[in-house]
């Protein structure tokens, strides 16, 4: 961002903004446009949103961290806080750094930038409706963004709106920008202008998951709306004319999972997505996928439970449930992406593994990932392989052939004269109901035999380099980047620490680094009971303690570091 | 030419000797071959129950899923590959009981699937509890002092939900039933054929009882008129009409062609295109 | 049984019978009457049935062990095998002991008793319909039962049938009895006649569970039919005019569990029962009970999965599922009865604990328990306490009062002017939705705090006495008695063994006897993956191996002993 | 005497300012106090959705359960303690979507509960996906090219299921709506009041649009005649009738008196008696 203003405040490599206001005030739009502005200007951002379970009013914020691309966690406090609403100001202002800048209308405090937002909005479009764009313009100027870029982004964002609306919005942003310029507000732009090194993507966790599904060959999704998972089917529906995917809203989650299984039986790569409550309803279907050996990918976007819980918040409370969900015993994969990038890649792997082993794969996401924005390089489309694991047309095809590997290659019904069967009862090789106990035994063993090979598909957890650390922090899923940052912080403060971060959870692989070591091992989990820690214990890992958070918010790295210090 | 023989397999039936389900099995088989559908071109879909075992007794593709969940699976099978024919065989408990919400959902969504409900007015496989269609007052081992709820009328509810093919068959009228099923294949959309299927173990009446009770709807009954269908269903007479009550096509759910293939090159292109939108 | 016949075969203290035939031939009736005959004659029996998932035909057997009351497991082979059907004869005859007696029509083998069953049936009632009663008479005579007792039992069994039918049945039994007497068939009656020491009960596992529910104060059950659980609601429905319980068949399992929760909210002790597939559908409701802190008892009668699996067989495959079922984190109890006696008692405890802690309690039964018959002394009705845990009417009553124990005493709505609330969202003390994260944290902790007290309610597992055993066999639920017998057998054969049998599984208590011992610890489980073993591992118990069975049949003690020997 | 004040509490609403849900809230409150029901005598039961938040905004007993599952809970609450009044407040998604099978089940079972459905023709709380009642062709963020299914007609289906109290209200007609609710309390059995509840955020039309659209049914319409009700619902006119379409009592589900008490002495006696049957 080209900003030569000498009054610019000193900046670290990390600038943080929090934009807040009531639901319905267009906070997300401001946040998204500002994020885009940074990205278009060549910077990496990470952003996360917090909402309440309502459509209008209440408190909602959009938090942006601008960084050199390595920071992937939220700060305790912010350099800039912008508010569109009084109550929100009261609620979020405590998060402002001492030297930070606050921007809101009607402030009396001299240190606060207090723009005439409503007035400018009226001026721009004849109503208060454009307040958020006025603020966007102001923020853009404060962070030294270019107005032309802002205009382009607005145009694209509102591309399906009428020309009048677009120009009023652009006008509002301009008025805000100019007001800020004229009033010579403090600047936050030590970030020296960067050449935009090719266009990077600004993408949300849900979008990355959806895009990964597309790249993984998904052809069918059925789902029932549920926060924070709805963005996935929404994206797949919106893009279906381009991808040919059939995206259907089911009458309930039971239908959603059974439709996905039906589509998969017919030969389409299929998935469903939901949150904990909906997943609960899918559990019988999961067991069906296990029994019928029909590939299935389920995205479980976690939120705090039990029951309805906190619908718009984040938690990692469903790991052991996902692992043991479904009556009877059958193998499954469980992946928990650590980032949007990882989410995309794991979706490809999920579809691939599901097809190869004919087992269900569960992707554990959460609100933190679903509603966060990431700056990513384009994915390598050449990495898209889409291996065809179907049986070649052959005589004597049987859907449940007993093999050494346990894998019985599938076939698409109708693709040849072979008959393709699926049976929820215990069955023989041809898929017919059996009550012969010896066959039951063999089939149960056949299904389970796949697990041995599945174990080998699992990548080891990521271990940050260190020799002889005092502390090992184990993380899984979306916690991982935060925990890695915490480990760095601890090491810098003299407590040699490493992070072991898991994104492929099951089958569980335990690296040497966790066995028979003198280091104290802490499991860091966004839940109350330390679910992953319990899993590690079954493998003999000695857990010194659990660092947990279960109030609906993600960790900050500082909170983790602090918790570790307290435990020493 | 395809023959009924091609649909025969070696699987021993677990139905009671003499059960009227065998009649439905024959009718389904005859309808399939007279509709010239080959065994690999059709998927029989079912849930769990006595009725739901039918797919095992025909040599063809089948998907025998969960109790109550045949319709979503069948809907999706047809939706992703419209080249497949899809026939659901289900029970009154499976379809109107456990599966009630999918019955609503599937009738409304209108996939091009055919649904034969073996309506024996009982949960037979679990040894005789009341189903939604069990007549008022019937004593069962669980409803020991009699069912206290008037029975669910599947055809009336289907009509109220906008079903485009509403029919009743009788397991004792094989030719008529096979014709109904064949007709349903000519119809594009969700077709409901509720079949009177007397259970000789738990049923109130023997098959013979219905032999004289049923009468076949004739041309007199205008099958394109919704209100006549309603009226026919609402008017209780001594005799039970069988045949098509109502028929009207409307928009179907599902892809226009087989979408089951994930072509790498096509997918790479669309991913590339979509990525550019995030830039 | 008074049988002076000198030709009586020698008997051990354990006589075993297997009665088989097609579904629909009345095998269960024969088995039940013969069992009753033994009990009425002063003996203890244990019986189990195996069926197929069909209404007519196929293979089904009723297996009876007559013993001095200590034997509680099935034998490998039988002293007497009686068959009503050719296919069944073929299927079950391999289970006959070398010196055993076979009884079936049309045999050519001289060692086989071959009565003219159909002829006698025709004679008794004019049709083949009475074949099972003819056989009943024959068996009664073979085991030296008294005909008058048989008659009494038949009369009672058919009490709602017409007089004609009753007398035809009695007649058939008599003809069978007389035929046997006349033909001087080999006798099995070393069992010396016993004085009937008070009337003992002959009761099935499902009936014991249902009776336990009644004694536990249950007032409402809603369930959806599912083998092998249906017997519970059937019994509660049948007896509802005596107990005042409302027993309702729900439209599906989701309704069943939500109805039970609703009834419980209103103040009725309430339960539901199901098997794995239905339990899968109840999982969201379970989470609701956890969140709303509404007492709930669920009986999960296991059968082999996944999916529809083997509907009429037995397995212990749903332990870890039951433990982790439901999204979010909340405390629960899990009990797994080891016998009908235990089942009755645990139902009382289940209702009591559920009321006291306002948490869900899951009873893990299985087909083996559900469909088995036990000889029991009358339960002590004076042990029925039914403590009232409701709050006294008070000012400022709040449904979710935060307390030190974590328990917020409940109240029945309408019982006073206090308002009673329940909320599936995270809520404040008054039960209203909250999105205040600090309250969420407190509420989550409050709910979980109960777990500490719940742990103290758990009885230790039963440990069979032994010093310094070489082998420890850990069992849970219905396996326990079989495993105890196996341990005795092993000890007798020189391999000093003890059994540790769990019936109160969760919160998990690990006795000293399992920690830091030199003995080899084997987990014996009716599942494939050793689920309880995994649980023990989280507590640091060293498991040397798993002895598992997953073909749908229960263990025999001999199989377990043999498996141990192989592992040494 | 009880006043409307007694039902007021301090809870801040999470509804959008100006939402028509506030009208329903007022109508419910007025109906409760005009029916002389005290706050501790009633249980408000709901699932999840905007509509389902209503119980929080009245000072009374409530059970705010799972999405789609209000009806089973409400049914059982009333069944075990008939002294309680039970009113369900639910949404079109909650009641006809996720909860469809319980809608069938509860209407048929006929517990004495009153059900007010805030029918805004959308899933509002999850930000605007189609519900079963969303009009054909409506574009939503998920159904981006328009809803492809004709809407579910709750009153018609309720009639087909044998509902004994079938009514429609309008959130903008407070007095009329309150009267409907009061009427429902006088009726013994399952009462369905589907309420037109325009959503000002995701809805197709503003509340004003309906002001002129609706008309109140008069005595002309015979509410005890099933066929007239059917016909009224089937006849599509410019105007939307509100009021009671059909009313007829039948056997209710539930215990005759409060059975929530587990009396030790009574239970001991029945256990003893039952044990003797096993001897
Ligand atoms: C989730 C679930 N609940 C319950 C069952 C048990 N069950 C199996 S079949 C059946 C009823 C079948 O009734 P219907 O569909 O009428 O078939 P019928 O046996 O009468 O032909 C039930 C309740 C099950 N398999 N799965
Ligand atoms: C099992 C489950 N699935 C999905 C959701 C998410 N969800 C909450 S409210 C809602 C829709 C509500 O629609 P409606 O009942 O019409 O209420 P409205 O918000 O429109 O008033 C959904 C899908 C949930 N809470 N639980
Ligand atoms: S139980 Fe009834 S429906 Fe089932 S197979 Fe036997 S006769 Fe037929
Ligand atoms: S979203 Fe619609 S229905 Fe929900 S509160 Fe707002 S205006 Fe009312
Ligand atoms: Mg049936
Ligand atoms: Mg709605």
């Amino acid at each position: 961002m080209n900003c030569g203003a000498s009054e610019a405040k000193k900046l670290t490599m990390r600038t943080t903004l929090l934009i807040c206001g009531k639901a319905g005030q267009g906070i997300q739009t401001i946040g998204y446009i500002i994020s885009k502005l940074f990205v278009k200007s060549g910077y990496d951002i990470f952003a996360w949103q917090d909402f309440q379970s309502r459509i209008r009013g209440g408190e909602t914020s959009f938090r942006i961290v601008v960084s050199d691309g390595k920071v992937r966690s939220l700060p305790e406090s912010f350099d800039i806080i912008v508010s569109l609403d009084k109550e929100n100001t009261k609620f979020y202002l405590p998060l402002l750094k001492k030297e930070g800048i606050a921007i809101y209308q009607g402030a009396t405090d001299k240190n606060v930038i207090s723009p005439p937002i409503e007035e400018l909005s009226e001026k721009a479009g004849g109503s208060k409706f454009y307040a958020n764009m006025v603020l966007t313009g102001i923020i853009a100027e404060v962070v030294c963004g270019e107005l032309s870029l802002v205009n382009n982004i607005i145009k694209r964002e509102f591309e399906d709106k009428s020309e009048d609306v677009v120009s009023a919005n652009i006008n509002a942003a301009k008025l805000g920008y100019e007001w800020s310029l004229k009033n010579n507000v403090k600047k936050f732009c030590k970030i020296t202008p960067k050449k935009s090194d090719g266009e990077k993507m600004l993408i949300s966790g849900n979008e990355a998951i959806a895009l990964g599904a597309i790249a993984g060959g998904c052809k069918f999704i059925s789902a029932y709306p549920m926060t924070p998972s709805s963005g996935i089917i929404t994206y797949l529906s919106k893009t279906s004319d381009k991808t040919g995917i059939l995206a259907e809203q089911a009458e309930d989650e039971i239908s959603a999972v059974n439709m996905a299984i039906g589509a998969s039986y017919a030969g389409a790569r299929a998935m469903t997505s939901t949150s904990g409550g909906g997943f609960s309803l899918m559990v019988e279907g999961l067991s069906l996928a296990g029994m019928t050996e029909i590939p299935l990918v389920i995205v479980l976007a976690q939120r705090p439970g039990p029951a309805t819980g906190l619908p718009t918040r984040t938690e990692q409370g469903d790991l052991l449930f996902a692992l043991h969900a479904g009556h009877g015993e059958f193998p499954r994969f469980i992946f928990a992406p650590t980032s949007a990038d990882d989410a995309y890649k794991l979706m490809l792997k999920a579809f691939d593994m599901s097809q190869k082993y004919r087992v269900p794969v569960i992707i554990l996401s959460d609100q933190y990932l679903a509603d966060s924005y990431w700056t990513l390089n384009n994915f390598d489309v050449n990495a898209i392989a889409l291996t065809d694991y179907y049986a070649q047309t052959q005589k004597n095809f049987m859907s449940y052939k007993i093999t050494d590997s346990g894998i019985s290659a599938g076939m698409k019904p109708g693709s040849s004269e072979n008959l393709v069967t699926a049976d929820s009862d215990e069955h023989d090789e041809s898929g017919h109901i059996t009550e012969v106990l010896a066959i039951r035994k063999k089939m149960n063993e056949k299904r389970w035999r796949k697990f041995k090979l599945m174990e080998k598909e699992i990548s080891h957890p990521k271990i940050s380099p260190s020799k002889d650390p005092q502390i090992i922090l184990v993380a899984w899923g979306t916690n991982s980047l935060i925990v890695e940052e915490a480990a760095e912080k601890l090491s810098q403060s003299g407590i040699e620490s490493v992070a072991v971060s898991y994104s492929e959870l099951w089958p569980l692989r335990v690296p040497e680094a966790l066995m028979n070591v003198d280091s104290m091992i802490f499991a860091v989990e966004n839940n109350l009971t330390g679910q992953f820690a319990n899993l590690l214990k079954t493998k003999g890992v000695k857990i010194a303690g659990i660092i947990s958070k279960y109030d609906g918010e993600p960790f900050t790295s500082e909170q983790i570091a602090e918790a570790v210090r307290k435990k020493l | 030419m395809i023959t009924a023989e091609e649909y025969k397999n070696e699987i021993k039936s677990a139905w009671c000797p003499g059960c009227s389900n065998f009649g439905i099995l024959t009718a389904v088989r005859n309808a399939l071959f007279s509709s010239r559908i080959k065994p690999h071109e059709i998927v029989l879909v079912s849930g769990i129950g006595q009725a739901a075992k039918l797919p095992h007794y025909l040599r063809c593709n089948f998907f025998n899923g969960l109790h109550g969940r045949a319709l979503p699976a069948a809907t999706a099978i047809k939706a992703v590959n419209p080249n497949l024919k899809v026939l659901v065989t289900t029970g009154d408990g499976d379809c109107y009981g456990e599966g009630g919400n999918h019955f609503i959902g599937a009738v409304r969504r209108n996939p091009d699937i055919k649904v034969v409900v073996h309506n024996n007015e009982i949960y037979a496989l679990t040894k005789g509890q009341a189903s939604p269609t069990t007549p008022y007052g019937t004593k069962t081992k669980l409803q020991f002092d009699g069912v206290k709820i008037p029975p669910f009328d599947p055809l009336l509810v289907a009509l109220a939900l906008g079903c485009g093919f509403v029919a009743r068959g009788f397991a004792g009228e094989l030719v008529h039933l096979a014709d109904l099923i064949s007709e349903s294949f000519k119809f594009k959309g969700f077709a409901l054929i509720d079949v009177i299927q007397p259970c000789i173990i738990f049923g109130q009446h023997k098959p013979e009882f219905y032999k004289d009770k049923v009468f076949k709807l004739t041309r007199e009954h205008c099958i394109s008129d919704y209100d006549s269908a309603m009226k026919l269903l609402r008017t209780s007479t001594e005799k039970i009409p069988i045949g098509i009550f109502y028929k009207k096509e409307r928009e179907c759910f599902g892809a226009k062609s087989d979408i089951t293939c994930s072509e790498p090159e096509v997918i790479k292109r669309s991913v590339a295109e979509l990525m550019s939108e995030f830039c």
Side-chain angles (χ1 to χ4, degrees), chain A, chain B:
Chain A
M1 292 174 183
N2 197 344
C3 165
S6 59
E7 69 275 39
K9 250 184 142 269
K10 282 222 170 177
L11 258 198
T12 58
M13 284 306 287
R14 199 188 195 206
T15 299
T16 55
L17 287 87
L18 184 152
I19 304 156
C20 61
K22 293 191 276 203
Q25 288 190 308
I27 299 303
Q28 202 198 345
T29 310
I30 309 180
Y32 182 79
I33 292 175
I34 296 298
S35 299
K36 198 86 192 169
L37 176 64
F38 280 115
V39 175
K40 286 274 176 199
S41 308
Y43 291 91
D44 277 14
I45 69 102
F46 170 69
W48 174 72
Q49 309 167 66
D50 72 293
F51 322 95
Q52 283 176 324
S53 184
R54 57 196 297 158
I55 303 300
R56 289 289 178 271
E59 288 101 24
T60 161
S61 82
F62 195 107
R63 309 176 185 196
I64 308 174
V65 188
V66 191
S67 74
D68 62 359
K70 288 243 169 73
V71 178
R72 285 288 183 268
S73 93
L74 295 167
E76 300 281 303
S77 53
F78 293 82
D79 298 316
I80 307 176
I81 288 187
V82 188
S83 172
L84 254 175
D85 166 69
K86 240 195 206 156
E87 291 298 315
N88 274 273
T89 310
K90 228 192 304 178
F91 189 80
Y92 288 109
L93 215 55
L95 299 184
L96 188 66
K97 279 191 191 160
K98 244 200 193 145
E99 354 64 85
I101 298 180
I103 308 179
Y104 56 90
Q105 194 172 8
T108 48
D109 188 333
K110 285 226 179 87
N111 286 320
V112 174
I113 303 172
S114 183
I117 300 175
E118 289 176 5
E119 190 190 313
L120 296 173
S121 171
E122 289 277 358
K123 207 164 149 191
S127 85
K128 290 182 198 167
F129 198 79
Y130 304 97
N132 66 336
M133 279 306 119
V134 171
L135 260 190
T136 303
I138 295 170
I139 302 170
E141 202 275 332
V142 169
V143 300
C144 315
E146 271 174 39
L147 187 59
S148 62
L149 268 181
V150 176
N151 289 346
N152 290 343
I153 298 166
I154 292 176
K155 272 183 208 149
R156 195 157 147 187
E157 266 307 279
F158 293 91
E159 100 200 318
D160 52 350
K161 292 283 185 318
S162 77
E163 235 173 83
D164 280 7
V165 172
V166 175
S167 69
N169 275 298
I170 287 185
N171 218 0
K174 183 163 163 267
L175 292 176
Y177 195 93
E178 285 168 354
W179 181 89
S180 178
L181 205 58
K182 202 171 84 195
N183 286 270
N184 224 349
V185 303
K186 288 179 278 182
K187 294 288 187 292
F188 253 90
C189 71
K190 190 59 174 283
I191 310 176
T192 44
K194 263 199 188 179
K195 277 268 150 43
S196 176
D197 52 334
E199 298 263 271
K200 283 197 178 175
M201 295 190 288
L202 177 66
I203 189 169
S204 75
N206 269 345
E207 287 163 344
I209 288 171
L211 202 59
I214 295 168
C218 178
K219 286 293 157 196
F220 182 85
I221 179 170
S222 44
Y224 188 81
M226 188 162 193
T227 309
S229 69
S230 311
I232 298 168
I233 185 171
T234 303
Y235 182 79
L236 291 173
S237 172
K238 219 174 56 188
T239 55
S240 61
D241 43 354
K242 296 203 175 83
T243 61
I245 288 178
L246 188 58
E248 177 67 1
Q249 178 179 324
E251 62 273 23
D252 59 28
E253 289 86 351
I254 301 175
S255 178
V257 71
N258 281 282
M259 277 203 217
I261 293 170
S264 182
Y265 162 84
R269 295 192 175 199
M271 69 176 286
T272 182
S273 57
T274 186
S275 186
F279 182 75
S280 281
L281 294 165
M282 292 184 179
V283 154
E284 195 195 12
L286 183 68
S287 179
L288 175 67
M291 185 54 137
T292 54
E293 302 187 61
I294 292 175
L296 174 68
V297 175
I298 304 183
V299 178
L300 164 48
Q302 301 161 101
R303 67 191 214 189
T308 310
L310 289 172
T312 59
R313 309 292 170 157
T314 202
E315 190 160 287
Q316 298 185 300
D318 299 337
L319 168 60
L320 289 179
F321 176 34
L323 178 58
H324 299 292
H327 55 296
E329 298 172 291
F330 54 93
R332 75 193 74 192
F333 283 103
I334 300 183
F335 299 154
T338 58
S339 66
D341 193 37
D342 199 31
Y344 171 87
K345 287 173 187 150
L346 283 177
M347 286 304 289
L348 264 85
K349 183 160 183 174
F351 276 99
D352 189 51
M353 290 295 105
S354 183
Q355 293 287 326
K356 183 168 178 185
Y357 292 98
R358 303 188 68 79
V359 295
V361 181
I362 300 167
I363 306 285
L364 282 177
S365 170
D366 52 25
Q367 186 271 337
Y368 180 61
L369 175 62
D371 294 331
S372 54
Y373 280 95
W374 306 70
T375 316
L376 298 182
N377 287 317
N378 274 16
F379 303 117
D380 176 12
V381 290
N382 292 318
I384 297 174
L386 296 172
T387 314
D388 179 346
Y389 296 105
Y390 284 109
Q392 306 307 326
T393 305
Q394 50 179 236
K395 275 259 133 73
N396 299 324
F397 168 79
M398 290 194 295
S399 292
Y400 299 98
K401 199 159 196 110
I402 293 180
T403 61
D404 287 346
S405 65
I407 302 170
S408 322
M411 191 174 275
K412 291 187 189 185
S415 64
S416 76
E417 295 209 343
N418 285 295
L419 301 180
V420 182
T421 59
D423 188 7
S424 73
D425 298 275
E426 192 55 274
H427 41 254
D428 59 20
E429 289 185 290
S430 71
H432 285 289
I433 299 181
T434 187
E435 300 199 55
V436 179
L437 304 187
I439 299 182
R440 148 68 176 184
K441 183 161 182 283
K442 276 194 196 143
M443 277 292 163
N444 213 11
E445 284 164 356
K446 169 199 122 64
R447 286 187 293 269
W448 199 257
R449 204 146 59 228
K450 297 189 274 187
F451 194 72
K452 273 260 160 308
L453 295 173
M454 288 164 58
E455 274 178 329
K456 298 201 182 114
E457 303 279 2
I458 291 291
S459 311
H460 261 301
K462 191 172 146 204
I463 306 179
S464 56
S466 161
K467 30 183 176 29
D468 239 355
Q470 182 183 349
I471 303 292
I472 297 178
L473 298 177
V474 181
W476 62 274
T478 56
N479 260 350
S480 301
L481 301 184
I482 311 171
V483 170
E484 283 166 22
E485 196 175 83
E488 277 167 33
K489 277 193 181 155
L490 284 166
S491 297
Q492 280 159 17
S493 75
I495 304 168
E496 192 60 29
S497 304
V498 307
V500 174
S501 46
Y502 274 87
S503 75
E504 302 184 9
L505 301 183
W506 192 260
L508 178 60
R509 289 190 74 170
V510 178
E512 270 308 306
L514 289 179
M515 299 302 294
N516 307 316
V517 286
D518 291 333
S519 327
M520 288 178 81
I521 302 177
F522 293 103
V524 185
E525 305 192 45
N526 228 180
N527 60 43
L528 190 147
T529 55
Q531 302 190 13
F532 191 60
N534 268 325
L535 216 49
L536 289 173
K537 283 186 203 162
T538 64
K539 300 281 179 182
V541 178
K542 296 237 157 48
I543 304 289
I546 291 156
I547 296 170
S548 58
K549 194 167 197 306
Y550 41 85
D551 62 357
E553 288 219 313
F555 277 106
T556 64
S557 57
E558 196 42 51
Q559 284 164 351
I560 297 168
E562 198 43 46
V564 171
R565 284 184 206 111
K566 273 202 193 127
K567 299 223 176 204
L568 296 182
Chain B
M1 249 301 283
I2 162 136
T3 66
E5 285 306 302
E6 288 191 45
Y7 273 99
K8 291 209 170 137
N9 68 12
E10 307 285 280
I11 306 298
K12 271 201 244 162
S13 173
W15 289 330
C16 308
C19 173
S20 57
N21 277 328
F22 289 102
I24 301 183
L25 177 61
T26 306
V28 168
R29 194 192 314 117
N30 290 344
L32 289 178
F33 92 89
S34 75
S35 303
R36 290 163 203 253
I37 299 167
K38 299 211 184 101
H40 72 280
E41 292 168 346
I42 185 155
V43 183
L44 286 199
V45 180
S46 71
I48 295 295
Q50 298 282 32
K53 288 179 185 163
L54 188 145
H56 290 277
Y57 308 142
L58 286 179
R59 222 197 111 262
C60 64
N61 296 310
F62 66 82
F63 178 99
N64 182 179
L66 296 172
H67 179 51
R69 317 303 172 188
L71 294 180
T75 298
I77 292 168
K78 183 74 190 181
V80 297
N81 186 357
N83 302 331
L84 293 167
K85 306 274 175 198
V86 175
L87 176 74
V88 176
T89 63
T90 174
D92 43 327
D94 206 35
C95 192
Y96 311 135
E98 182 84 86
N101 206 29
H102 314 309
F103 182 66
I104 299 178
V107 168
R108 295 189 57 236
R109 196 174 272 118
N110 198 33
D112 184 20
I113 65 175
K114 318 303 152 191
V115 181
V116 174
V117 184
H118 302 219
N119 187 349
N120 57 4
E121 304 182 344
I122 200 79
Y123 284 9
L125 188 55
T126 47
K127 302 192 177 169
Q129 300 84 3
S131 88
T133 56
T134 306
Y136 184 86
T138 307
K139 289 191 175 157
T140 77
K141 69 151 49 136
L142 184 49
Q143 288 73 24
F144 71 103
D145 52 351
V147 171
K148 297 275 176 48
I149 313 178
F152 175 85
D153 184 338
L155 303 190
L156 189 64
V157 176
L159 264 184
L161 290 168
C163 186
F165 188 107
V166 178
R168 182 186 288 135
F170 171 43
E173 290 281 0
L174 293 199
V175 178
H176 180 263
L177 180 56
D179 283 351
L180 282 180
I181 300 171
S182 299
E183 276 307 307
S184 79
F185 277 111
K186 289 182 204 145
F187 170 84
K188 194 163 161 49
F190 184 98
L192 175 68
I193 306 171
D194 185 78
V195 183
I196 300 170
Q197 182 251 306
C199 169
I200 54 180
I201 308 294
F202 304 109
Q204 296 289 94
H205 305 289
K206 295 250 128 51
E208 299 71 48
F209 171 85
Y210 294 96
K211 269 276 182 229
D212 304 322
K213 265 271 200 191
V214 300
F215 73 95
K216 294 172 194 155
L217 288 173
T218 61
R219 292 255 178 98
E220 301 269 283
H221 171 67
C222 171
I223 61 173
S224 62
D225 184 40
Y226 187 95
D227 291 321
S228 316
M230 269 289 179
K231 202 162 153 207
L232 192 61
L233 283 168
R234 289 276 310 145
T235 327
S236 63
T237 53
E238 261 301 276
K239 296 232 165 186
I240 308 168
I242 57 175
I244 302 176
F245 286 69
Y246 181 64
K247 194 165 104 175
K248 188 172 188 184
E249 294 194 350
R250 62 175 166 93
E251 201 170 347
C252 282
F253 170 71
K256 299 281 163 283
S257 60
D258 180 351
I259 59 165
T260 63
C261 284
S262 301
E263 305 250 24
E265 290 318 310
V266 177
I267 286 171
K268 282 178 193 176
R269 267 201 306 281
S270 54
V271 171
E273 186 187 342
L274 292 171
M275 281 194 301
S276 72
E277 292 177 1
F278 290 106
C279 295

